[in-house]
Amino acid sequence: MAHAVLTASPNLLKKMKEHYASYSKPVPPAHSLFSAKKNGTTITAYNSGKVVFQGNAADQEAELWSSEATISEKAKKKPAPSASLPDGFASWSVIGSDEVGTGSYFGPLTVVAAYVDRSQMELVKELGVQDSKNLTDKQIIAIAKDLLTFLPYSLLNVSPEKYNKIQPTMSQGKMKAVLHNQAIGNVLDKISPHRPDAVLIDQFELPQTYYKHIRSEKQQVKENVYFATKGESHHLAVAAASILARYAFLKELETMSKQAGLLLPSGANAASDVAAAKLLKKGGMSLLSKYAKLHFANTDKAKKIAGIKA
């Protein structure tokens, strides 16, 4: 049986409790905040902040929250050698990669790799590149438009329709690993014969798991590859990639909203449930599958709102 543990903040625990409300067990274990069972996987959140996932899809379910939680207990027990970056790394010429959309019910899964040469760092800083979480969507859009004019990058989007076809046989973690590897390879091709000093991936899983996920890929980028959580704080290349990914995600979500005829919110909250229910009433699951990642708990919540039996 697979097993994964995350450490969540009080705010994230509250969000998770709401997310798993429709799967909750009536009597949770002692000292726990809640316990739920989804698709054969048991999720138990404790008052200490520890969230335990047990079941065949434990890793996949935990990955839904990995970008918002602190480093997993599993990762603490097996620290990755590459997690410690060399001295002066921030001044190196680096390809950075990051993804957006993993925790959003609506919209694509977007991965971007971008190359920032040391000669471009001052310009990138002047344009306002920093952790995208500290920027408004308006700021992200303005900065991204500038970056697109000169940074070598690769943008990969997995639409909800394609995501829903792949997801039953491929975990979100593997999807992300394959996309990161491909995007990085694309940027390497673009800047060839020049080579970066390193590649930095915003860490979403253990390096050994990442390499396991890409072992069937024809091109596997492994040379001078580093992994770090909150990669955008370690190098401007990851921060730039994060901004470009968020910009692309927002643009695609806007396009989808126009196609759907209603606002499709980012995230996986109550507003997402209501929007999904409207789509279900309008065109059933076939319509919803064009815009949403169906394996999220929001789908079952939307069915209840729309009066559709599961």
Side-chain angles (χ1 to χ4, degrees):
M1 179 182 290
H3 176 269
V5 180
L6 298 179
T7 302
S9 66
N11 285 339
L12 182 55
L13 285 173
K14 183 178 179 181
K15 183 177 178 180
M16 294 176 78
K17 185 177 182 180
E18 179 183 335
H19 179 84
Y20 291 114
S22 60
Y23 301 97
S24 292
K25 291 183 177 180
V27 183
H31 308 297
S32 67
L33 183 64
F34 71 85
S35 186
K37 190 166 186 178
K38 177 186 173 186
N39 299 331
T41 296
T42 299
I43 304 98
T44 305
Y46 293 90
N47 294 321
S48 64
K50 288 286 189 296
V51 185
V52 181
F53 300 81
Q54 294 175 295
N56 293 333
D59 288 338
Q60 181 176 336
E61 196 64 32
E63 282 164 7
L64 294 176
W65 308 100
S66 60
S67 63
E68 299 178 71
T70 56
I71 192 164
S72 69
E73 188 173 278
K74 185 187 295 183
K76 287 178 181 177
K77 291 179 180 177
K78 299 179 181 179
S82 55
S84 298
L85 301 176
D87 291 339
F89 187 89
S91 64
W92 289 13
S93 297
V94 168
I95 293 176
S97 67
D98 200 0
E99 80 283 333
V100 173
T102 57
S104 181
Y105 181 56
F106 290 112
L109 169 57
T110 303
V111 172
V112 169
Y115 176 60
V116 176
D117 188 89
R118 60 170 56 87
S119 65
Q120 299 170 313
M121 287 187 178
E122 287 306 314
L123 173 59
V124 169
K125 287 179 184 178
E126 287 178 13
L127 292 174
V129 171
Q130 56 178 291
D131 184 352
S132 63
K133 297 180 184 65
N134 298 328
L135 300 170
T136 65
D137 287 348
K138 186 177 180 180
Q139 290 173 316
I140 286 172
I141 292 168
I143 296 170
K145 286 181 177 179
D146 287 333
L147 296 178
L148 289 171
T149 64
F150 68 93
L151 276 192
Y153 72 96
S154 175
L155 163 66
L156 300 175
N157 263 334
V158 178
S159 69
E161 275 191 296
K162 186 173 182 180
Y163 181 98
N164 292 326
K165 289 178 181 178
I166 299 171
Q167 188 273 328
T169 57
M170 181 185 291
S171 71
Q172 192 182 78
K174 183 170 183 177
M175 267 191 250
K176 290 192 287 185
V178 169
L179 291 168
H180 275 271
N181 178 69
Q182 185 179 339
I184 293 165
N186 291 343
V187 176
L188 283 171
D189 290 341
K190 284 185 177 183
I191 66 175
S192 180
H194 182 75
R195 301 290 294 182
D197 296 326
V199 172
L200 179 60
I201 298 172
D202 190 51
Q203 187 170 337
F204 55 90
E205 61 186 3
L206 294 175
Q208 55 264 41
T209 304
Y210 174 87
Y211 289 123
K212 179 182 177 182
H213 282 156
I214 67 168
R215 64 186 176 188
S216 298
E217 297 299 297
K218 289 183 179 180
Q219 181 185 24
Q220 299 174 32
V221 181
K222 295 182 177 181
E223 184 180 358
N224 297 325
V225 175
Y226 295 84
F227 299 81
T229 55
K230 299 183 179 179
E232 64 279 356
S233 66
H234 296 287
H235 202 281
L236 286 171
V238 178
S242 177
I243 288 170
L244 291 175
R246 179 66 180 171
Y247 170 66
F249 174 83
L250 290 172
K251 278 186 63 180
E252 189 62 22
L253 197 60
E254 182 181 12
T255 298
M256 288 183 177
S257 293
K258 290 178 181 178
Q259 292 173 348
L262 74 157
L263 178 65
L264 302 178
S266 178
N269 49 30
S272 302
D273 302 337
V274 173
K278 290 179 180 178
L279 289 173
L280 283 172
K281 288 181 178 179
K282 185 177 179 180
M285 288 295 289
S286 61
L287 180 62
L288 182 60
S289 67
K290 292 182 179 181
Y291 305 108
K293 303 176 184 75
L294 297 180
H295 69 102
F296 278 42
N298 302 80
T299 300
D300 287 339
K301 293 177 183 179
K303 285 180 179 179
K304 289 182 180 179
I305 295 171
I308 299 172
K309 292 183 179 180

